[in-house]
Amino acid sequence: MKIAELRTIVKGHQKKDLEFLVAELYKLIPKNKKEDNQIDELITKPVKEKKVSKANKAIRTIEEISGEVKLFHNNAINQNYLYPNSHVPKKDRSKWRFLVKRLVKEINLAAQNGNSRRRCAEELQVLYETLCYACAYQTFTAYDPFESVGISQIEFFDQMIKYHRDSMDYKEFIDKGIKLIFNNELSRYTLYSGLMETFINYCQTPNMKEVAIERTKKLWDSTNKNKTKKTSWRNSDFEKIDTLNNYSVLIFRLSLQLSEYETAIEEFKAKYIEIDKEIVLNIYISILFTYQLKDIILKELQTAKSDGIEIRPSLVQLLKHIQKHNQLPDYI
């Protein structure tokens, strides 16, 4: 039913029928949707206030915005949007997502109007890291904080590091980008690979990629001071191994961008901590697939097969498809 048709139908209803209809429709709306769309406020005051035109609305400076960003961060970390407290009124606790949306918009406007890109990046980073924190710790009544704000973690990450790239020399940017990838929690819908590729897109030159590889290798070495064996899967080692493997994947992706295929694969095999060679094979073949490196994939699968590695059915099918059609399938 179209809106025009809906309006025509409800005009013919009596008041008691409309009251019943509104109540029944309200029951059907999930609680989080009521909060997201401010349904209670709309019912209380159905006539929208006249919006102030953009021309008349003053654009705040980044200095003016930063105080509100800091206040939001402190309230979020202290769970003031979650539990009763004297800092955030009850009626405002579910509105945190609209506050974040507004602050992000204002920071972007400030950047477009000549404010320091570095300061804008820093304020966006505070908001980003606050939402990342909420992905791991109970901070808001939300399933996923980024989804609640209406922007994916990767999109938010992209906005933030763009300003960092604009305001930093490339070595400082590389260190900042790597830390932002790995030092923050992931949302339920985010993979490290998405953040890595976003970061790599801003490493536009071969020199930047080489420096990023060098920096990540140093992080890998410093994390692995007390050498971790591939057979070691004690609980105390699990987080460390996960970190080392994520570094390995970033190094691999950057090396592929430099077309250093053989070196990239050999280093990945040496650094990735996993005793099962077939699992390692599956991981790097999947990454090679994202770069559409058909000939390299064919060679690696044939080599693995001749080496006696029992590869999984999906990779067997991939090998057969390449041999038969001389091209990659749409997906693995």
Side-chain angles (χ1 to χ4, degrees):
M1 186 185 297
K2 295 182 178 179
I3 295 297
E5 186 181 357
L6 174 67
R7 290 181 187 277
T8 302
I9 292 172
V10 297
K11 276 181 183 177
H13 289 336
Q14 295 181 5
K15 182 181 177 182
K16 64 178 182 178
D17 295 327
L18 289 173
E19 290 173 352
F20 171 78
L21 183 60
V22 169
E24 291 303 308
L25 289 173
Y26 185 81
K27 291 177 188 176
L28 295 174
I29 303 171
K31 184 180 178 182
N32 64 322
K33 295 298 180 185
K34 291 174 186 173
E35 293 176 351
D36 286 352
N37 297 286
Q38 296 181 294
I39 299 298
D40 289 355
E41 287 83 348
L42 182 61
I43 291 172
T44 305
K45 197 173 184 180
V47 179
K48 292 185 178 179
E49 294 179 359
K50 195 172 182 180
K51 292 184 178 179
V52 178
S53 67
K54 289 183 179 179
N56 295 328
K57 189 175 180 180
I59 296 172
R60 294 200 295 169
T61 65
I62 195 64
E63 286 76 18
E64 292 171 318
I65 298 166
S66 65
E68 198 169 359
V69 170
K70 184 178 180 181
L71 180 62
F72 165 74
H73 170 77
N74 290 338
N75 279 324
I77 297 301
N78 291 311
Q79 298 182 304
N80 290 338
Y81 293 105
L82 191 61
Y83 298 118
N85 63 91
S86 59
H87 300 283
V88 179
K90 183 179 180 180
K91 65 182 180 64
D92 293 334
R93 286 173 206 153
S94 64
K95 298 176 184 177
W96 65 269
R97 64 205 77 198
F98 303 108
L99 172 59
V100 175
K101 285 180 183 180
R102 175 172 61 76
L103 289 172
V104 170
K105 185 177 180 180
E106 285 194 285
I107 291 168
N108 285 323
L109 283 172
Q112 292 164 21
N113 282 271
N115 285 250
S116 164
R117 290 247 163 173
R118 193 178 191 98
R119 282 297 310 279
C120 291
E122 289 167 355
E123 298 307 326
L124 276 179
Q125 184 176 329
V126 173
L127 293 176
Y128 176 81
E129 291 181 332
T130 306
L131 296 185
C132 288
Y133 177 88
C135 291
Y137 302 98
Q138 195 172 13
T139 310
F140 309 113
T141 55
Y143 180 74
D144 183 278
F146 286 97
E147 183 183 47
S148 293
V149 172
I151 181 171
S152 72
Q153 185 172 2
I154 292 172
E155 289 175 307
F156 204 134
F157 180 80
D158 188 20
Q159 284 188 32
M160 173 183 58
I161 65 164
K162 181 182 186 301
Y163 291 151
H164 277 310
R165 180 69 190 98
D166 291 344
S167 59
M168 291 179 170
D169 70 68
Y170 74 92
K171 289 185 178 179
E172 186 184 6
F173 167 74
I174 286 167
D175 290 336
K176 171 70 75 172
I178 293 170
K179 286 178 182 177
L180 285 169
I181 291 171
F182 298 117
N183 290 4
N184 290 295
E185 302 290 342
L186 298 181
S187 80
R188 290 172 172 82
Y189 307 108
T190 306
L191 298 174
Y192 279 117
S193 58
L195 298 177
M196 289 180 198
E197 285 304 307
T198 302
F199 166 69
I200 291 171
N201 287 339
Y202 286 95
C203 297
Q204 297 101 333
T205 66
N207 183 51
M208 285 187 73
K209 292 179 177 70
E210 287 168 1
V211 172
I213 290 169
E214 178 193 336
R215 293 286 210 267
T216 312
K217 283 182 177 178
K218 283 183 179 178
L219 287 170
W220 195 98
D221 290 338
S222 64
T223 304
N224 199 38
K225 278 181 181 177
N226 298 319
K227 298 193 181 295
T228 306
K229 295 180 181 179
K230 294 198 176 190
T231 55
S232 175
W233 281 101
R234 295 173 300 174
N235 288 337
S236 59
D237 287 332
F238 192 87
E239 187 175 343
K240 177 183 171 182
I241 290 171
D242 192 47
T243 300
L244 289 168
N245 286 346
N246 282 323
Y247 288 151
S248 300
V249 170
L250 179 56
I251 294 165
F252 183 57
R253 287 176 176 273
L254 285 160
S255 298
L256 291 178
Q257 291 265 335
L258 293 171
S259 302
E260 298 173 354
Y261 304 131
E262 290 187 11
T263 302
I265 292 168
E266 290 309 309
E267 285 196 344
F268 185 78
K269 289 177 182 177
K271 286 186 177 296
Y272 199 89
I273 300 174
E274 169 56 58
I275 194 170
D276 190 334
K277 291 182 179 179
E278 195 280 333
I279 292 175
V280 178
L281 174 73
N282 183 62
I283 292 168
Y284 75 76
I285 290 294
S286 297
I287 297 171
L288 291 171
F289 187 87
T290 64
Y291 289 96
Q292 296 291 285
L293 296 170
K294 169 181 69 70
D295 293 337
I296 307 296
I297 292 171
L298 176 61
K299 179 184 174 184
E300 288 301 312
L301 289 175
Q302 288 174 330
T303 301
K305 196 173 180 182
S306 65
D307 288 346
I309 296 175
E310 189 175 341
I311 61 178
R312 63 190 62 187
S314 60
L315 295 187
V316 171
Q317 290 303 314
L318 176 60
L319 175 58
K320 288 180 178 178
H321 189 282
I322 297 172
Q323 290 172 329
K324 182 177 181 180
H325 303 285
N326 193 32
Q327 65 181 25
L328 292 172
D330 293 334
Y331 55 88
I332 298 178

